[in-house]
Amino acid sequence: MKTIKIGLLGLGNIGTGTYKTLDMNRAEIEKAAGTSVDIVKILERDVDRDRGITVPKEKFTSDPDDIFKNPEIDIVIELLGGIEPASTFMLTAMQNGKHVVSANKAAIAANYDKLIETAKENNVIFRFEASVGGGIPILGTLTGPLCANRFEEVMGIVNGTTNYILTKMTVDGLDYDTVLKDAQAKGFAEADPTADVEGIDAANKLSILMALMFDKYIAPDKIPTTGITHITSEAIEDARSRNCTIKLIAHARKLDDGEVDYKVAPMEISNEHPLAGINNEFNAVFVTGNAVGDVMFYGKGAGPLPTGSAVLGDVIEISKTIK
Ligand code: HSE
């Protein structure tokens, strides 16, 4: 049986989660892929950090060419985060004939067209399920089982940090600063939470969703974006008096003239709507298709194992094709 060999870029939280998920579920993953799957090289300088996994030291490298120029490697998994060098690394991997899997919403949203085009030019597969909604299988469902639809609308709670903050403000009546500190202490919010609380992370994810649903790529910095930093306890109470809950929504809608209207903003959602009940760090994506009607996807939008689950799902799909 062929072994699919993987080069992993980055062994941070998500890289470690992916490595752990492969160790934990190797039998299921290899059965589904129909091949054995092995992470053979890891681009990571921090060799000695205790990650709770055992990685043979010879797998580590600090030279990306040990992965890009390695003829044995079939798939490169990019889990570095940030736009650069991640984007350049993905393009280089493709130009060297490697299939690419990424969870990096910022890099994909910033360079979507270039990445898709380069994958096509080099006849390699590019998959990025984990970049939107973490473990929720949304992208593969939009482009697979739901692709017979003309999509009309998407409303997504696609950022766990802001949903956690808004939930605690709504349910426990706490103010924004107190909850943000609590979220940071629990590890939900980053030490620098700007991309989350200003809606930038949600705009990256909406950019990817729109590209797939409406075949319309809009760079995230062109998406009108408002975060949650100005949301007060009074605004939450006002919404409650109207039987609504404030949620940060990534929203896009096809207009009658074929154009797409899009934005990321805190919105008052009627408590009758299923998105109003999505709490804490959970994500949900509510999609309307002209044939299927309304569908909602719910689950863990972040975290090492849920994200690792989506990354390895992509690895399995590629392995099935190339084995
Ligand atoms: N910072 C992101 C969130 C991580 O809070 O949802 C997952 O993309």
Side-chain angles (χ1 to χ4, degrees), residues 46-294:
D46 188 357
V47 177
D48 296 319
R49 195 173 114 201
D50 180 12
R51 300 173 169 89
I53 51 176
T54 310
V55 184
K57 285 223 161 135
E58 63 274 13
K59 289 196 178 184
F60 285 94
T61 179
S62 54
D63 179 0
D65 277 347
D66 282 347
I67 290 175
F68 303 143
K69 306 283 183 206
N70 183 336
E72 291 208 314
I73 289 180
D74 306 287
I75 302 175
V76 170
I77 302 179
E78 183 279 307
L79 300 174
L80 293 167
I83 296 175
E84 286 298 349
S87 300
T88 304
F89 282 176
M90 285 193 269
L91 295 169
T92 310
M94 291 171 184
Q95 284 152 356
N96 281 280
K98 312 297 182 202
H99 306 282
V100 172
V101 174
S102 174
N104 185 339
K105 61 266 162 141
I108 298 165
N111 292 298
Y112 185 82
D113 283 343
K114 180 82 185 148
L115 287 161
I116 298 291
E117 204 179 290
T118 306
K120 269 192 199 140
E121 277 166 13
N122 290 280
N123 203 23
V124 295
I125 304 168
F126 176 41
R127 293 185 68 99
F128 40 91
E129 180 62 66
S131 64
V132 180
I136 305 173
I138 175 72
L139 303 186
T141 309
L142 292 171
T143 54
L146 288 184
C147 73
N149 283 268
R150 205 173 308 135
F151 292 111
E152 294 169 355
E153 188 169 15
V154 57
M155 293 173 77
I157 295 175
V158 288
N159 183 267
T161 302
T162 47
N163 202 39
Y164 178 83
I165 294 173
L166 290 174
T167 302
K168 291 293 171 208
M169 289 176 75
T170 304
V171 175
D172 299 338
L174 299 170
D175 65 78
Y176 174 83
D177 290 326
T178 308
V179 186
L180 176 58
K181 282 196 191 98
D182 168 51
Q184 283 171 320
K186 291 202 167 105
F188 293 139
E190 308 280 337
D192 177 3
T194 313
D196 292 314
V197 298
E198 297 295 356
I200 299 162
D201 178 74
N204 287 333
K205 292 165 179 166
L206 183 61
S207 169
I208 296 170
L209 282 170
M210 283 197 291
L212 296 178
M213 292 177 67
F214 303 121
D215 197 19
K216 187 176 180 74
Y217 168 65
I218 307 288
D221 59 358
K222 300 284 183 292
I223 296 176
T225 299
T226 310
I228 63 160
T229 52
H230 66 289
I231 300 291
T232 59
S233 304
E234 290 71 34
I236 286 177
E237 280 315 309
D238 270 5
R240 199 196 306 273
S241 71
R242 287 185 283 276
N243 195 31
C244 290
T245 303
I246 298 183
K247 295 288 182 191
L248 183 71
I249 302 291
H251 182 233
R253 187 170 54 107
K254 195 100 180 228
L255 302 173
D256 291 341
D257 62 5
E259 287 301 306
V260 180
D261 185 41
Y262 47 86
K263 69 175 171 186
V264 171
M267 294 182 198
E268 285 193 12
I269 302 293
S270 161
N271 287 334
E272 316 288 308
H273 194 285
L275 284 176
I278 306 304
N279 283 330
N280 296 312
E281 69 276 25
F282 280 88
N283 281 198
V285 184
F286 189 92
V287 168
T288 308
N290 71 334
V292 72
D294 294 337

